[in-house]
Coordinates of all heavy atoms in Angstrom, one line a residue:
V139 N -0.1 3.6 8.5 CA 0.9 2.9 9.3 C 0.2 1.9 10.1 O 0.7 0.7 10.2 CB 1.7 3.9 10.2 CG1 2.5 3.1 11.3 CG2 2.6 4.8 9.4
L164 N 12.8 -30.2 3.6 CA 14.2 -29.7 4.0 C 14.5 -30.2 5.4 O 13.6 -30.3 6.2 CB 14.2 -28.2 3.9 CG 14.1 -27.6 2.5 CD1 14.1 -26.1 2.6 CD2 15.2 -28.1 1.5
L190 N -2.6 -19.7 3.1 CA -4.0 -19.3 3.1 C -4.3 -18.2 4.1 O -5.0 -17.2 3.9 CB -4.9 -20.5 3.2 CG -6.4 -20.2 3.1 CD1 -6.7 -19.6 1.7 CD2 -7.2 -21.5 3.3
A237 N -7.1 -17.7 17.1 CA -6.1 -18.8 16.9 C -6.3 -20.0 17.8 O -6.0 -21.1 17.4 CB -4.7 -18.2 17.0
I245 N -8.9 -17.1 9.7 CA -9.1 -16.8 8.3 C -10.3 -15.9 8.2 O -10.3 -14.8 7.5 CB -9.3 -18.0 7.4 CG1 -7.9 -18.8 7.4 CG2 -9.8 -17.6 6.1 CD1 -8.0 -20.1 6.7
T279 N 0.3 13.0 -1.6 CA 0.0 11.6 -1.7 C 1.1 10.7 -1.3 O 0.9 9.7 -0.7 CB -0.5 11.3 -3.1 OG1 0.6 11.7 -4.1 CG2 -1.8 12.0 -3.5
V293 N 6.4 -2.6 12.6 CA 5.9 -3.8 13.1 C 7.0 -4.9 13.0 O 7.2 -5.7 14.0 CB 4.7 -4.3 12.4 CG1 4.9 -4.8 11.0 CG2 4.0 -5.4 13.2
L322 N -10.8 7.0 16.8 CA -11.6 7.9 17.6 C -11.1 9.4 17.3 O -11.9 10.3 17.2 CB -11.6 7.6 19.1 CG -12.2 6.3 19.5 CD1 -12.0 6.0 21.0 CD2 -13.7 6.2 19.1
T340 N -8.8 31.3 6.3 CA -9.6 31.6 5.1 C -8.6 31.6 3.9 O -9.0 31.1 2.8 CB -10.2 33.0 5.2 OG1 -11.0 33.0 6.3 CG2 -11.0 33.3 3.9
S360 N -22.6 9.7 -14.8 CA -22.5 8.2 -14.8 C -21.1 7.8 -15.3 O -20.5 8.5 -16.1 CB -23.6 7.7 -15.8 OG -24.9 8.0 -15.3
A374 N -2.9 1.0 -18.8 CA -1.5 1.1 -18.4 C -1.3 1.2 -16.8 O -0.5 0.6 -16.2 CB -0.8 2.2 -19.1
Y392 N 6.7 -12.7 2.3 CA 7.6 -13.8 2.4 C 9.1 -13.4 2.7 O 9.9 -14.3 2.8 CB 7.6 -14.6 1.1 CG 6.4 -15.5 1.0 CD1 5.2 -15.2 0.4 CD2 6.4 -16.8 1.7 CE1 4.1 -16.0 0.4 CE2 5.3 -17.6 1.7 CZ 4.1 -17.2 1.0 OH 3.0 -18.0 1.0
L410 N 14.4 -7.5 12.7 CA 15.3 -6.3 12.4 C 15.7 -6.3 11.0 O 15.6 -5.2 10.3 CB 16.5 -6.4 13.3 CG 16.3 -6.0 14.8 CD1 17.6 -6.3 15.6 CD2 15.9 -4.6 15.0
R445 N 5.8 10.8 -14.9 CA 5.1 9.6 -14.5 C 5.8 8.3 -15.0 O 6.0 7.3 -14.3 CB 3.7 9.6 -15.0 CG 2.8 10.8 -14.5 CD 2.7 10.8 -13.0 NE 1.9 11.9 -12.6 CZ 2.3 12.9 -11.7 NH1 3.5 12.7 -11.1 NH2 1.5 13.9 -11.3
G452 N 10.3 2.5 -10.2 CA 9.6 1.7 -9.2 C 9.3 0.3 -9.6 O 9.1 -0.6 -8.7
C455 N 13.6 -1.4 -11.2 CA 14.7 -1.5 -10.2 C 14.6 -2.8 -9.3 O 15.6 -3.5 -9.1 CB 14.8 -0.3 -9.3 SG 15.5 1.2 -10.2
F486 N 9.3 4.2 -5.5 CA 9.5 5.3 -6.5 C 8.2 5.4 -7.3 O 8.0 6.4 -7.9 CB 10.7 5.0 -7.3 CG 12.0 5.4 -6.7 CD1 13.0 4.4 -6.5 CD2 12.2 6.6 -6.3 CE1 14.2 4.7 -6.0 CE2 13.4 7.0 -5.7 CZ 14.4 6.0 -5.5
F492 N 1.0 5.7 -9.7 CA 0.2 5.7 -8.6 C -0.8 6.9 -8.5 O -1.9 6.8 -8.1 CB 1.0 5.7 -7.3 CG 0.9 4.5 -6.5 CD1 1.8 3.4 -6.7 CD2 0.0 4.4 -5.5 CE1 1.7 2.2 -6.0 CE2 -0.2 3.2 -4.8 CZ 0.7 2.1 -5.0
Y503 N -11.4 9.7 -10.1 CA -10.1 9.2 -9.4 C -10.4 8.1 -8.4 O -9.7 7.1 -8.4 CB -9.5 10.4 -8.7 CG -8.2 10.0 -8.0 CD1 -7.1 9.5 -8.7 CD2 -8.0 10.3 -6.7 CE1 -5.9 9.1 -8.1 CE2 -6.8 9.9 -6.0 CZ -5.8 9.4 -6.7 OH -4.6 9.1 -6.1
F513 N -7.6 -5.1 -9.4 CA -6.7 -6.0 -10.2 C -5.4 -6.3 -9.5 O -4.9 -7.4 -9.6 CB -6.5 -5.3 -11.6 CG -7.6 -5.5 -12.6 CD1 -8.7 -4.7 -12.6 CD2 -7.5 -6.5 -13.5 CE1 -9.7 -4.8 -13.5 CE2 -8.5 -6.7 -14.5 CZ -9.6 -5.8 -14.5
A525 N 3.0 -18.7 -4.0 CA 4.3 -18.9 -3.4 C 4.3 -19.9 -2.3 O 5.3 -20.7 -2.2 CB 4.8 -17.5 -2.8
D532 N 8.1 -27.6 -4.3 CA 9.4 -27.7 -5.0 C 10.4 -26.8 -4.2 O 10.8 -25.7 -4.6 CB 9.3 -27.2 -6.4 CG 10.6 -27.4 -7.2 OD1 11.5 -28.0 -6.6 OD2 10.8 -26.9 -8.3
I539 N 11.9 -19.8 -9.0 CA 10.6 -19.8 -9.7 C 9.8 -18.6 -9.3 O 9.2 -17.9 -10.2 CB 9.8 -21.1 -9.4 CG1 10.6 -22.3 -10.0 CG2 8.4 -21.0 -10.1 CD1 9.9 -23.7 -9.6

Side-chain angles (χ1 to χ4, degrees):
V139 168
L164 294 176
L190 185 57
I245 293 174
T279 55
V293 73
L322 296 178
T340 303
S360 300
Y392 283 95
L410 287 172
R445 301 300 179 233
C455 286
F486 282 122
F492 246 90
Y503 180 58
F513 277 84
D532 189 9
I539 297 173

